[in-house]
Amino acid sequence: MSEPTELARELSAHLGSRAAAGEPSGCCAPETHELLLERGFYATLLPARDGGLGLDLGEFIAVVSELARGCPASAWCAASLAVGSARARVLFDLDGDLRATSATATDATATRSDGGWVVSGTFARVAGARFATHFLGVARVEGESGALRFLAARAQFELHDAGAGEGGCVRAIELEGALIPDAFAAAVQAPVDDWTASVPPAALAAVFAGAAARAAEIHEQIVRAAPQSRALDPDHQRWLGAAVARAAAARLLLREAAAANAEGVRLGSLARQAMRYASDGVQEALRVAGAAEREAGAELERIARFMLNGLSDPAALPEEWIARQLARERLELPLDAAPAVP
Amino acid sequence: MFVPRRYGGLELELGDFLRVVMEIAAGDLSTAWSLCLASAHALHLATLFGEPAQTEAFGDGDFRCPAVAAPAGQAVRSGEGWEITGTWGYCSGAPYATHYMGQTFEAPAQPGGPPGQMLLFVVPRSQWTMLDDWGDTLGLKGSGSHSIQMERAYVPAHSVLEGQWLVDTDTTQSPGLRLHGNPLYAGRTLSVFQSELSALATGALKGALEEYESLIRTRRTQRPPIVARYLDADYQRWFGQAIAGAAAAETLLAAVAGQWSEHGRRFAHEGRIFTRADDLELNVLAREALTLAWTSLQEDVFRTAGTSATRSGGRIERIFRDVAMDWGHLGNVTRDWAWRELARERLGLVEGAALKPDRPHLEVRG
């Protein structure tokens, strides 16, 4: 296990102990945020010279999964900022302290202005937004077929309650006539490209995989502790074995995808399958674990609730859309511009 | 592919072996089935049996050997070896086999008494007869899964392992690693068997995708808008879902094979035991690849390929029948058992040796 992964494992227990405290605000508890910041978990994908941990995708997935064992919402916040920051740095040749979150689904528009662009619009669900210093967004260009990818500084956007309810420091981001200099804007063919179809879904899948591993541990504890000896019941044994298998499948699938340098929509589709394994395992555990585990505040309930929201998170992209792009790639057709479903 | 180098073989890693199997299965599942199941058992001969048996059976490396895990017939001690009699069904690869590896019981100590211990043996083709009894199943008609019959075949003691069950084997004391110096020959068996079945189905799905692509490029939709199917959003989605299923199955199998090899390496270099729980976890993971392949084939490909694709002799029709056989294979019937056994291992409910067919199954609930 690498040093960052060991650090993440150590921090995981703390995240778990503070998970409930962050829920009313839909965000990490303040001290959790400070710890994530201090230990570099918002900058896992930034190079060391920029103060980051310089992890590759496989190590990043391992770190995010470890964090998610403690608190999936906090892990998703950290992962979102790590992903957005890495992307922003590459696109705009930035350095120094940067915590950028990102989104692709948008109703925003961009119009030409002297020396830059004026961007207005709202991005409904942006994970990590609460602690972001920047926002990497995409807007339709008025009167043109392409789109504009842009980086806005924190002073240029406002945060609103996203009403999503799953934590992850999700907020709606609103820009109202924000002036984006040319240096922080890039014309693109479509809002979704190979990177957005792969890395953000992989990051969310890593959260799912870690959360599913934790859910399998809880499931096992429940089976062991049940007064009527569920451990000896053949159905409970089978359910537990299946849940363990699915959590392991999510983890191994992601790990192998990273090791094989999968990218583009292929990585996106593998990430989606990992998310499905993880959520199937958790749903099955929730179904058979007993009513107490479904009460608000129970850890298994919190994990399942996170996953329910995460499956429709814009970062993951709809699996039907990803499947269609896989086919279009093989059929040598151009990729669709963007999923119609945000 | 698994024959040790000292006998002229390739000593392929498990992951490479599975990739070869997938490629062949994309062309024809029956052929791949016969190839896979006749060549894979070299791994077990090289792992489990001692040097005299290996030298005798591998010879110059031409070793093609079906194996069936279900015990049948019986064995009686005879001189320095055993006399074995019985008939073993579903010996895939039999027509071109040079050997057979099978399981039997030692004859009862008293007439009418319970059978004795279970035996794993390997015998050359000269000791057995192939029956003409294969080909009337739904699919895999060309897999050469005939029965093999032996009548008082003499098998030397070094070619018989006492108390050994091929399916679920503790390899910590096996001679393979010491003989060949390669952790490849230190691995357990449960996950290997399942990986074979899953790689076969995954390869077949990849073959079906080739055919499906050809269909949607040449045919038009049946309802408005009438366009080439490959330009239709639904056909693209079905095709893409099946591509995704194949990619995920292939990736999972690569992960399973990599982890299996890693367990072997850690045992060889660090002494960390490759446990039954490890093997079961890899087994159930490999099963997911089979589930993905079958689900994609029947839900995305077969359901939407059209009636003409189901005509006898069509490629998709044949693939569907062949993969249905894989899906209904005994190895897949045991999925629930494997999940349960994995849970029992985690819960510490498997004491000592795991259940085998020659041990009373009185304690299945605990």
Side-chain angles (χ1 to χ4, degrees):
Chain A
M1 187 181 289
S2 69
E3 190 182 336
T5 311
E6 280 182 19
L7 272 175
R9 176 165 286 189
E10 285 171 23
L11 187 57
S12 180
H14 169 81
L15 298 188
S17 70
R18 301 299 295 153
E23 290 224 310
S25 64
C27 199
C28 308
E31 67 270 28
T32 297
H33 161 62
E34 292 300 328
L35 277 170
L36 289 170
L37 181 63
E38 176 192 321
R39 300 193 185 178
F41 288 117
Y42 291 139
T44 38
L45 292 171
L46 289 181
R49 66 175 176 276
D50 290 340
L53 300 183
L55 304 185
D56 62 24
L57 183 63
E59 294 168 322
F60 171 69
I61 285 170
V63 162
V64 170
S65 293
E66 285 299 331
L67 294 175
R69 289 169 80 100
C71 175
S74 300
W76 181 220
C77 172
S80 299
L81 288 166
V83 163
S85 302
R87 178 67 160 162
R89 181 186 169 280
V90 169
L91 285 175
F92 300 113
D93 197 23
L94 300 167
D95 55 20
D97 185 32
L98 176 72
R99 292 196 306 279
T101 188
S102 60
T104 50
T106 179
D107 284 326
T109 56
T111 52
R112 244 311 172 193
S113 174
D114 284 347
W117 298 82
V118 175
V119 178
S120 295
T122 300
F123 298 78
R125 288 172 65 189
V126 184
R130 167 85 183 280
F131 299 119
T133 59
H134 292 76
F135 171 59
L136 180 63
V138 64
R140 287 180 286 108
V141 178
E142 291 283 17
E144 295 182 24
S145 60
L148 187 81
R149 202 175 302 287
F150 64 90
L151 186 70
R154 179 65 188 85
Q156 293 179 296
F157 59 87
E158 290 189 11
L159 300 181
H160 302 289
D161 183 1
E166 75 270 39
C169 307
V170 172
R171 295 288 185 273
I173 281 182
E174 183 184 9
L175 293 91
E176 182 60 50
L179 180 61
I180 307 293
D182 278 336
F184 296 112
V188 290
Q189 291 292 319
V192 177
D193 57 16
D194 272 357
W195 189 88
T196 44
S198 56
V199 180
L204 184 54
V207 177
F208 269 56
R214 175 62 190 143
E217 288 173 3
I218 298 168
H219 190 165
E220 182 174 335
Q221 289 164 6
I222 292 167
V223 170
R224 283 180 184 278
Q228 292 183 327
S229 206
R230 289 184 195 172
L232 302 183
D233 178 80
D235 288 329
H236 276 283
Q237 289 174 356
R238 187 170 63 83
W239 292 326
L240 175 60
V244 168
R246 271 143 196 174
R251 175 175 54 84
L252 271 194
L253 193 56
L254 279 178
R255 195 177 76 182
E256 185 65 27
N261 296 316
E263 53 188 14
V265 288
R266 181 181 170 92
L267 177 56
S269 80
L270 292 171
R272 263 296 184 175
Q273 181 60 46
M275 288 172 66
R276 181 179 286 200
Y277 276 132
S279 62
D280 283 356
V282 170
Q283 281 180 38
E284 188 70 351
L286 199 67
R287 182 175 76 86
V288 302
E293 304 308 318
R294 293 192 290 274
E295 287 178 6
E299 193 176 358
L300 202 53
E301 181 268 346
R302 182 178 298 117
I303 291 171
R305 185 155 39 85
F306 175 86
M307 288 186 171
L308 192 61
N309 283 286
L311 285 170
S312 63
D313 192 289
L317 299 174
E319 57 188 334
E320 295 84 353
W321 184 87
I322 289 182
R324 194 172 292 119
Q325 305 322 304
L326 271 180
R328 293 179 69 87
E329 199 171 73
R330 177 154 165 168
L331 294 164
E332 298 179 334
L333 297 170
L335 298 191
D336 288 333
V341 183
Chain B
M1 289 178 271
F2 281 141
V3 172
R5 284 203 183 91
R6 68 192 289 189
Y7 300 115
L10 297 175
E11 283 192 16
L12 286 193
E13 285 293 320
L14 178 59
D16 293 332
F17 175 80
L18 296 177
R19 273 191 287 278
V20 169
V21 167
M22 276 187 263
E23 289 300 323
I24 304 291
D28 176 43
L29 186 53
S30 274
T31 304
W33 192 281
S34 175
L35 170 78
C36 175
L37 273 66
S39 59
H41 303 116
L43 179 67
H44 312 308
L45 176 66
T47 300
L48 303 173
F49 286 77
E51 190 170 12
Q54 292 195 30
T55 301
E56 204 168 276
F58 283 134
D60 61 0
D62 185 16
F63 180 77
R64 288 161 267 138
C65 181
V68 172
Q74 66 176 27
V76 178
R77 286 189 192 275
S78 173
E80 295 297 310
W82 299 79
E83 277 187 358
I84 301 178
T85 299
T87 303
W88 292 264
Y90 312 109
C91 302
S92 300
Y96 300 109
T98 59
H99 290 76
Y100 173 66
M101 185 182 288
Q103 303 266 190
T104 189
F105 292 113
E106 185 174 4
Q110 305 294 330
Q117 64 175 327
M118 192 159 58
L119 307 172
L120 175 67
F121 61 88
V122 61
V123 289
R125 181 155 196 147
S126 58
Q127 296 279 38
W128 51 263
T129 305
M130 185 182 82
L131 304 186
D132 183 16
D133 62 353
W134 184 249
D136 60 353
T137 48
L138 171 69
L140 291 181
K141 293 175 186 289
S143 65
S145 305
H146 301 69
S147 296
I148 279 175
Q149 195 166 63
M150 290 163 53
E151 181 65 34
R152 297 186 62 187
Y154 178 77
V155 187
H158 60 250
S159 295
V160 178
L161 299 180
E162 300 184 27
Q164 190 78 268
W165 189 31
L166 185 59
V167 170
D168 187 3
T169 307
D170 177 2
T171 51
T172 51
Q173 304 299 321
S174 299
L177 176 62
R178 179 176 44 79
L179 278 175
H180 306 295
N182 184 344
L184 172 67
Y185 301 115
R188 296 184 68 109
T189 51
L190 259 171
S191 42
V192 175
F193 290 127
Q194 186 57 48
S195 297
E196 292 168 24
L197 298 181
S198 301
L200 286 160
T202 303
L205 171 62
K206 292 173 76 172
L209 286 172
E210 291 170 7
E211 188 65 17
Y212 192 83
E213 179 174 348
S214 171
L215 279 175
I216 65 174
R217 281 190 183 279
T218 52
R219 292 176 160 266
R220 298 169 75 80
T221 52
Q222 317 86 329
R223 40 74 183 151
I226 306 298
V227 295
R229 291 182 187 177
Y230 81 100
L231 297 175
D232 178 78
D234 285 333
Y235 279 97
Q236 287 178 2
R237 180 168 55 83
W238 295 325
F239 187 38
Q241 285 171 177
I243 293 170
E250 204 171 354
T251 305
L252 260 183
L253 284 172
V256 165
Q259 192 67 56
W260 185 88
S261 298
E262 179 63 17
H263 285 317
R265 271 193 292 275
R266 290 192 63 189
F267 174 65
H269 301 309
E270 303 167 21
R272 189 255 181 205
I273 302 294
F274 187 165
T275 67
R276 184 170 183 267
D278 295 332
D279 203 20
L280 275 163
E281 181 169 309
L282 295 179
N283 174 283
V284 298
L285 287 168
R287 285 170 192 280
E288 294 296 339
L290 176 57
T291 302
L292 283 168
W294 170 250
T295 303
S296 296
L297 180 68
Q298 59 92 10
E299 177 63 25
D300 298 318
V301 174
F302 189 77
R303 183 176 72 84
T304 66
T307 308
S308 59
T310 67
R311 289 209 170 101
S312 294
R315 189 174 177 194
I316 285 183
E317 181 262 355
R318 177 179 294 113
I319 292 171
F320 181 80
R321 285 189 292 103
D322 288 348
V323 180
M325 296 291 288
D326 196 343
W327 185 241
H329 188 275
L330 178 64
N332 198 32
V333 177
T334 57
R335 180 183 67 181
D336 301 79
W337 170 87
W339 279 340
R340 193 174 292 123
E341 284 299 295
L342 176 59
R344 281 164 45 82
E345 286 283 352
R346 287 178 70 107
L347 294 166
L349 296 172
V350 181
E351 294 177 8
L355 291 176
K356 292 194 296 185
D358 63 340
R359 296 179 64 211
H361 291 196
L362 300 176
E363 189 255 344
V364 291
R365 289 178 64 86

